[in-house]
Amino acid sequence: MSEQRNLEPGTSGSSEQLTPQALQPPSQQAKSVIVLNISGNYMGTTNFYVPGRDLNVNPSKMPFNIKTEDSEKQSLKEICLTYAKAIADVTNRVPLQATKQENVSEEEFGNTSSWLFKKQTDKKNIIPESLFEEAAEACNDRAKSSHETTNKHQQNVAVLTGIAGIGKTTYCKFVLRHWIDSHPHSFVFYISIRDVDFMEKCNLLKFLLVSTDHGYKFKPETDDAILDEINKSSDTLIVIDGLDEARTTQDFSEDPFGMSLHQEKMPYCILMNLLNCRLLPNAKKLIASRPNAFLNFNPECKPVFLLQVLGLSKESQNLLCKQYSKNEEQQKHVQDELEKQPNISALLFIPIFAGLIIPYFVDNLESNKPVLSISDVFLNQLEQWQKNQKFHTHQKHLKQLTKLALNGVENHQFSFPSQDFAKHGIEMQSIEPFMCAHAKHQHGMLVLDGEKTFFFIHATWQEFLAALYLMVFASYEELSSKIQQMFQQSSWEVVVRFLFGFCHQNVQEKLNTLFPDTQEINKKEKVVKTQARKLLPKLSELPSDIPSTVAKAYDDVIESFTQVNEFKSREKDSTLSNICSWANEAKDDDLTKAVANSLPNPLLLSGDFLPHQVMSFCHVLSAAEESHKLNVGDLWNQSTFTGPGLHTLLSTIQQSKHQIPKLHLEGVDLSVDFEIILELLPGITELQLRTCGLTIPMVENLVDVITQHNIHLSFLDLSFNNLNGVGKYLANSIHLMQVLQLLQCNLQENDFIAIAEATAKRDTNMSFLNMSRNVMSKKALDSFAPGIHKLDGILLSDCSVTGYGLKQLCLKISKRQKPMNLLGLTRNNIGLIGVDHVSSCVYNIRQLWLNDCNLTITCLRVLIAAILNMDHSMVYLDLWANRFGDEGAIALATCLEKVKKLHVSDCDITPVGAEALHKANRKLDHWIDGLPDIPQATAASSVGMPHQVAQKPKKHCAVS
């Protein structure tokens, strides 16, 4: 077991920060606590929220007392549970903003293969107690939304990502604690990836126990019995922390070989087989990492459920200020000062930074000392430690320690044996502020000294010290030799940011005061900034928008999807975020202007944005000499903002000459920023506010601005907001919109009727109206019939539409002078009557969506007869998730000449039906999606003759 005692700020993965003033001698209350040469905390506690105000030895972290009469199997379960309890010792005092479900998309989760599942969610607080229930829901949603075969055991796997210091390990500990409380007799394993030797073979049990101190004696027969029990259990929890800290040259993209439960394999193989659920499929697995470890992840091992840690909410930040302050007056003073320095306060959502920034402000309220950057904050903490007599980290020791930190970053090493210190000439007492120890010992024994493994209190501190070595102690030649590699590899991202912080003139003055022998710092500053300038031409390559315009997107949906998928398959480019953060950290006017003048115009800002990223971008944007157009999000990938990020961006635009012509937001609270959006609205052409908590009064104000300023919107999306009663307001501005989306808005009959009547009065046609996931009565559906000639596309998925309800609508579609571009009836059980109505107007529909409509083979034959009767080809027919099987496929083969693009995924088609369609398509070369692979030797000879379909007089496409 390792004794775990906090001396200093946090631990690897955790974010606890203790100021030197708060340090007290360790409690003597537990005689069985191990005494180490240096003290540390292998995992740390999770009350990083109360930095340094109390320091106790936790009684739960005592040597294990294993009963001799227990079986080895039962003893191991107790060992794992007891150790996990020590790991999960948490004090929930200032909570994280928890997590949100991330969109698992190609752009964000690697581009090695197709990754079709993407779920939008309004869940912003996924608590540890419901983690695997949420994972199961995500897997079920993926199974419904994708025709890929899914592994049901993937619901047992969850990925947790987040930037450095954001609270990933903290969340893992909460999951551990809840699991132990709710499953007191289960196996629980905690694995720190830094403990894994990826160069040495091991069996599964040794892998699971790599981070657990135990007295278990490995024996093949006992190992096999324990693994068999674990394999059967559905109550086993495996937490894998710090994937990005793996000491391996592999990037997790290699295909893992399969293995049995009892084999010895390389750890990489074991890890990936756990994640793809070939090993321990019933066990629950949570794996945490910085995002970069998943960029090229093997497609077979990609988990379905991805969470992103959001850090500390504004409320939690205020609570931290309260805990650090002596009284309410001081707390308000601190909060006011933080508000005056938004470049610093934007970092408070990151716990490790909050634990340094807030006490610094508390201690310097009267001095009015400005905080220049996060590098400045870390440097101030270092200065305090050096002044404190309890620490012995003088400059002569610090040089060797910073070199050790640099070597660790270079070699991807995060834990260090004691011989590393001897090799670098580091005295053990000198590392107290920066490092923690993990000592292993036998059960029930009091160990005064022994073999220990050391690691920095947090990976961010290791990266800070590595940057300090390069800027202060390294020669100019050494920095120059490494600089290109550092700017190219994501593992150096935090180190490089600290380097730019050291480039600030005032920070350099502090460095020169602390380290009089600083090596050529001015020359080093130039080489760092020169390397950044070399990247500026890459900014011109950043996208300005998705390749498909709104008009084209709804004119040919399938072609647009192809373009969007190609666009999203681009590897995520962090150039803009990195360069802006460097300019913000350095506060160099020339560099900032150079970056600003290199920004493409227009520029697409799409994806998730954290507060400090937005602050850095706005810092650069404010220096731009020309006005810029910013497309925030796009049609298929809305932007999300955490904390004050959106307000920062909109306020910057509001006070500048810049514009946001396209604003696509999802899952953002607009209670503060809606008025700014209304003010910017005259310059907006596309507006998407999905899951933004809109109310009827807010939409009423929106419509008033649109009509008063005669704003023509090519796209308006208000989906996933409860807008019962919105119809009468939207009716006033329907004539100014080309595309309107109102998915799942709880629309009522009067809303539909008001929208339908306003549509019929338009002077020009509307491109697309999407009212899916709203229950429509027959009266509501009939109200759209008179004006359907003004709608080129309508999507009514999940609207409880019946076959009888389609009569009037289809009658009017059949009389259109121009073919309708799209009619979508997805997931409506329209039956044979509905198919009959649709078939009567199918010749006047370019794209028809009948997926998941429970179509029988009889329904399909009626539709095919109508298609055969056309004198032209329809663009697209979607029949996905209708179980008509091979008989339906053979029937479709007869009309394939009249269907350019066909989708038949999840229709129970076997290679027999697929061969029939392929045979019919050999000369046509039409697009068919969703067919199974055909073996080289098929049963083609057994394919029966298709049913004869009655021929009717040809229907001609009505053209204006």
Side-chain angles (χ1 to χ4, degrees):
M1 171 187 163
S2 57
E3 171 48 25
Q4 304 170 5
R5 180 160 60 88
N6 272 348
L7 259 192
E8 270 306 318
T11 61
S12 172
S14 179
S15 307
E16 185 166 1
Q17 302 298 321
L18 305 183
T19 60
Q21 297 90 326
L23 295 175
Q24 300 295 332
S27 168
Q28 302 300 317
Q29 61 185 344
K31 293 182 180 179
S32 57
V33 172
I34 301 167
V35 180
L36 302 180
N37 276 345
I38 75 163
S39 299
N41 187 343
Y42 183 54
M43 268 292 295
T45 63
T46 57
N47 62 334
F48 54 80
Y49 341 97
V50 198
R53 295 312 179 196
D54 54 349
L55 182 66
N56 297 314
V57 176
N58 193 313
S60 70
K61 302 171 184 174
M62 296 181 185
F64 304 114
N65 180 18
I66 304 300
K67 296 180 181 179
T68 56
E69 66 268 23
D70 287 343
S71 68
E72 289 189 68
K73 183 165 59 178
Q74 185 60 31
S75 295
L76 183 59
K77 182 179 288 188
E78 290 180 0
I79 289 169
C80 296
L81 205 58
T82 307
Y83 189 74
K85 285 179 180 177
I87 297 297
D89 179 31
V90 291
T91 305
N92 186 11
R93 297 170 74 172
V94 179
L96 287 167
Q97 196 173 337
T99 55
K100 69 171 184 177
Q101 183 173 339
E102 185 67 281
N103 294 330
V104 184
S105 67
E106 187 71 14
E107 181 183 2
E108 295 160 333
F109 208 45
N111 59 355
T112 54
S113 74
S114 174
W115 190 244
L116 298 179
F117 175 67
K118 181 175 180 179
K119 177 184 177 184
Q120 304 289 352
T121 176
D122 58 352
K123 294 173 180 173
K124 283 296 185 68
N125 188 18
I126 298 176
I127 59 176
E129 291 83 348
S130 64
L131 174 65
F132 291 104
E133 285 81 359
E134 296 284 352
E137 182 182 335
C139 280
N140 291 332
D141 287 345
R142 181 189 176 188
K144 294 176 183 176
S145 63
S146 169
H147 62 270
E148 288 185 340
T149 303
T150 58
N151 182 347
K152 67 176 183 178
H153 295 297
Q154 280 289 335
Q155 68 182 20
N156 294 328
V157 183
V159 163
L160 190 71
T161 69
I163 62 175
I166 194 69
K168 298 182 293 295
T169 296
T170 297
Y171 191 85
C172 288
K173 291 179 182 181
F174 282 124
V175 172
L176 272 173
R177 184 179 68 175
H178 167 70
W179 192 268
I180 291 167
D181 291 342
S182 57
H183 300 80
H185 304 295
S186 62
F187 278 102
V188 181
F189 299 97
Y190 170 80
I191 300 168
S192 176
I193 287 293
R194 64 171 55 176
D195 293 331
V196 178
D197 185 351
F198 279 83
M199 301 303 293
E200 184 177 340
K201 282 187 177 182
C202 64
N203 65 18
L204 175 58
L205 193 57
K206 286 184 178 179
F207 181 86
L208 294 174
L209 294 172
V210 68
S211 297
T212 304
D213 293 306
H214 56 84
Y216 175 74
K217 305 296 183 184
F218 291 99
K219 301 175 186 176
E221 60 277 8
T222 313
D223 293 0
D224 291 352
I226 291 172
L227 284 173
D228 285 335
E229 180 177 332
I230 295 171
N231 192 44
K232 294 173 188 174
S233 170
S234 59
D235 290 336
T236 295
L237 174 66
I238 303 170
V239 176
I240 304 170
D241 194 15
L243 182 66
D244 55 291
E245 298 181 2
R247 289 179 292 166
T248 176
T249 56
Q250 292 171 297
D251 62 1
F252 305 103
S253 64
E254 294 181 18
D255 187 20
F257 294 103
M259 62 176 290
S260 69
L261 192 65
H262 307 298
Q263 275 183 295
E264 276 200 355
K265 286 282 188 178
M266 300 300 281
Y268 176 83
C269 186
I270 296 174
L271 172 65
M272 301 306 269
N273 276 283
L274 283 171
L275 294 180
N276 66 20
C277 296
R278 290 177 186 164
L279 287 178
L280 306 183
N282 297 316
K284 302 295 189 291
K285 300 144 192 159
L286 171 62
I287 182 165
S289 174
R290 295 188 193 181
N292 59 290
F294 293 106
L295 289 180
N296 295 302
F297 216 65
N298 184 273
E300 286 191 16
C301 305
K302 287 179 179 177
V304 172
F305 191 57
L306 179 66
L307 296 176
Q308 181 186 8
V309 186
L310 300 179
L312 298 174
S313 66
K314 183 65 175 177
E315 292 74 20
S316 293
Q317 294 169 28
N318 291 339
L319 188 52
L320 262 180
C321 290
K322 180 179 180 180
Q323 292 180 359
Y324 275 112
S325 303
K326 296 176 182 177
N327 49 52
E328 290 186 9
E329 183 181 357
Q330 189 181 60
Q331 177 192 350
K332 186 177 186 308
H333 195 177
V334 170
Q335 291 174 197
D336 290 344
E337 290 301 311
L338 285 167
E339 290 292 329
K340 294 176 184 177
Q341 296 198 49
N343 64 312
I344 296 299
S345 58
L347 292 162
L348 290 177
F349 74 100
I350 305 174
I352 187 175
F353 292 163
L356 291 172
I357 293 170
I358 294 174
Y360 179 78
F361 271 79
V362 170
D363 294 339
N364 293 278
L365 278 178
E366 306 306 324
S367 64
N368 294 320
K369 291 167 60 176
V371 180
L372 306 172
S373 62
I374 194 60
S375 305
D376 185 30
V377 172
F378 272 71
L379 196 59
N380 280 315
Q381 182 67 71
L382 175 63
E383 184 179 14
Q384 287 186 45
W385 288 342
Q386 286 197 294
K387 290 178 180 178
N388 194 296
Q389 295 301 314
K390 293 181 180 179
F391 301 123
H392 309 279
T393 311
H394 302 303
Q395 183 176 339
K396 62 179 181 180
H397 304 302
L398 195 57
K399 179 177 180 179
Q400 290 95 326
L401 189 61
T402 58
K403 178 63 173 175
L404 178 73
L406 177 71
N407 288 346
V409 175
E410 282 187 302
N411 300 315
H412 220 65
Q413 181 182 358
F414 298 90
S415 58
F416 304 87
S418 54
Q419 54 262 35
D420 279 355
F421 298 96
K423 184 171 68 174
H424 284 81
I426 300 172
E427 295 181 10
M428 301 304 294
Q429 64 176 356
S430 70
I431 68 174
E432 280 189 357
F434 304 102
M435 302 196 80
C436 300
H438 172 216
K440 295 203 172 187
H441 61 88
Q442 297 298 319
H443 285 290
M445 293 179 63
L446 180 63
V447 178
L448 298 180
D449 198 4
E451 182 182 348
K452 294 183 287 290
T453 302
F454 300 85
F455 49 92
F456 286 89
I457 51 181
H458 195 282
T460 308
W461 271 103
Q462 181 176 345
E463 290 158 323
F464 169 78
L465 292 173
L468 190 66
Y469 173 81
L470 290 168
M471 189 59 78
V472 174
F473 301 115
S475 66
Y476 172 78
E477 290 73 21
E478 184 177 0
L479 174 63
S480 299
S481 67
K482 299 178 187 297
I483 196 72
Q484 188 171 356
Q485 170 197 1
M486 291 164 54
F487 275 74
Q488 290 175 344
Q489 297 178 0
S490 60
S491 58
W492 289 92
E493 185 176 308
V494 179
V495 175
V496 172
R497 186 172 182 185
F498 280 125
L499 285 179
F500 277 95
F502 294 151
C503 289
H504 192 286
Q505 184 177 353
N506 292 349
V507 176
Q508 286 185 26
E509 291 174 3
K510 291 183 181 180
L511 286 173
N512 286 318
T513 301
L514 287 171
F515 310 105
D517 298 328
T518 299
Q519 299 287 319
E520 304 176 295
I521 195 167
N522 291 330
K523 287 180 66 178
K524 291 176 183 177
E525 175 190 346
K526 289 178 182 178
V527 75
V528 169
K529 291 180 178 178
T530 298
Q531 193 65 33
R533 288 176 180 271
K534 290 180 180 179
L535 295 176
L536 294 184
K538 283 193 68 177
L539 294 179
S540 63
E541 302 171 8
L542 297 177
S544 60
D545 198 2
I546 60 170
S548 179
T549 63
V550 169
K552 186 168 181 58
Y554 294 98
D555 183 56
D556 190 338
V557 176
I558 302 308
E559 184 178 339
S560 175
F561 280 173
T562 302
Q563 291 180 329
V564 170
N565 287 336
E566 290 175 357
F567 176 76
K568 289 186 175 179
S569 67
R570 292 167 49 125
E571 193 163 345
K572 197 167 187 178
D573 195 333
S574 58
T575 303
L576 177 64
S577 177
N578 285 340
I579 291 180
C580 290
S581 72
W582 301 337
N584 190 31
E585 192 75 7
K587 296 294 188 298
D588 181 296
D589 291 342
D590 291 337
L591 177 61
T592 301
K593 287 180 181 178
V595 176
N597 294 331
S598 299
L599 294 175
N601 194 4
L603 171 64
L604 176 62
L605 299 176
S606 190
D608 291 342
F609 294 95
L610 295 170
H612 70 297
Q613 295 172 325
V614 178
M615 180 58 65
S616 295
F617 176 74
C618 289
H619 168 75
V620 169
L621 191 65
S622 298
E625 295 175 351
E626 62 175 8
S627 61
H628 272 72
K629 292 183 178 180
L630 307 175
N631 295 324
V632 180
D634 58 62
L635 291 175
W636 285 273
N637 187 22
Q638 301 83 39
S639 288
T640 61
F641 293 83
T642 302
L646 178 63
H647 183 74
T648 301
L649 178 64
L650 294 179
S651 298
T652 301
I653 301 300
Q654 182 188 33
Q655 298 164 18
S656 70
K657 55 198 173 186
H658 308 299
Q659 288 184 313
I660 303 182
K662 300 181 181 182
L663 181 61
H664 297 266
L665 302 176
E666 188 257 339
V668 179
D669 180 7
L670 294 179
S671 56
V672 174
D673 299 310
F674 193 70
E675 291 299 322
I676 302 180
I677 291 175
L678 293 181
E679 187 175 327
L680 298 175
L681 197 57
I684 295 177
T685 58
E686 293 180 13
L687 180 62
Q688 188 167 191
L689 303 175
R690 285 193 167 201
T691 323
C692 288
L694 297 182
T695 63
I696 293 297
M698 292 170 76
V699 178
E700 184 180 4
N701 290 337
L702 179 72
V703 169
D704 285 345
V705 175
I706 291 172
T707 52
Q708 288 173 15
H709 293 270
N710 199 34
I711 300 169
H712 288 261
L713 290 175
S714 60
F715 183 84
L716 177 63
D717 188 345
L718 305 178
S719 300
F720 305 104
N721 296 285
N722 187 355
L723 299 178
N724 176 7
V726 77
K728 60 184 179 182
Y729 301 110
L730 286 175
N732 296 329
S733 58
I734 285 286
H735 64 289
L736 296 170
M737 302 171 189
Q738 275 303 304
V739 175
L740 176 61
Q741 301 217 103
L742 297 169
L743 286 81
Q744 199 170 316
C745 287
N746 192 27
L747 301 182
Q748 303 300 304
E749 192 171 85
N750 289 339
D751 296 318
F752 291 118
I753 293 172
I755 292 170
E757 291 175 350
T759 303
K761 295 176 182 177
R762 287 176 59 102
D763 294 330
T764 59
N765 279 24
M766 191 173 188
S767 297
F768 188 69
L769 176 62
N770 186 353
M771 296 180 294
S772 299
R773 303 189 192 181
N774 294 285
V775 178
M776 294 186 75
S777 65
K778 184 179 185 301
K779 182 178 179 181
L781 190 57
D782 285 347
S783 68
F784 283 92
I788 198 68
H789 62 289
K790 294 292 185 180
L791 272 174
D792 287 339
I794 188 169
L795 187 56
L796 304 172
S797 302
D798 280 314
C799 284
S800 301
V801 172
T802 66
Y804 292 101
L806 286 170
K807 181 178 180 180
Q808 289 300 318
L809 190 72
C810 291
L811 178 64
K812 294 297 183 179
I813 291 175
S814 68
K815 296 180 179 180
R816 281 177 58 105
Q817 291 184 323
K818 180 182 177 182
M820 192 169 197
N821 181 50
L822 170 65
L823 174 63
L825 298 171
T826 300
R827 288 187 291 279
N828 290 292
N829 191 3
I830 60 175
L832 183 59
I833 294 175
V835 171
D836 222 7
H837 291 314
V838 172
S839 297
S840 69
C841 64
V842 71
Y843 65 91
N844 232 358
I845 301 172
R846 296 178 69 243
Q847 301 180 72
L848 177 61
W849 295 5
L850 295 176
N851 40 314
D852 202 8
C853 284
N854 198 26
L855 300 186
T856 64
I857 185 63
T858 303
C859 296
L860 192 60
R861 290 194 188 113
V862 171
L863 180 64
I864 290 171
I867 292 173
L868 284 169
N869 198 38
M870 300 188 310
D871 64 352
H872 63 282
S873 297
M874 68 188 310
V875 174
Y876 178 61
L877 176 61
D878 191 346
L879 298 172
W880 169 62
N882 291 290
R883 310 281 181 165
F884 44 68
D886 288 337
E887 192 175 5
I890 294 168
L892 283 168
T894 64
C895 73
L896 196 57
E897 185 177 358
K898 299 295 180 70
V899 180
K900 293 181 180 179
K901 297 173 183 176
L902 176 66
H903 189 188
V904 287
S905 299
D906 199 18
C907 290
D908 289 346
I909 297 174
T910 73
V912 174
E915 173 63 21
L917 280 167
H918 280 303
K919 184 176 180 181
N921 194 36
R922 280 169 192 156
K923 292 183 180 180
L924 299 172
D925 196 25
H926 285 181
W927 184 91
I928 306 177
D929 188 29
L931 290 178
D933 294 332
I934 302 175
Q936 289 185 350
T938 65
S941 59
S942 64
V943 176
M945 292 295 292
H947 289 264
Q948 296 297 315
V949 181
Q951 299 290 309
K952 295 181 180 179
K954 299 281 186 182
K955 289 279 188 177
H956 294 274
C957 176
V959 180
S960 58

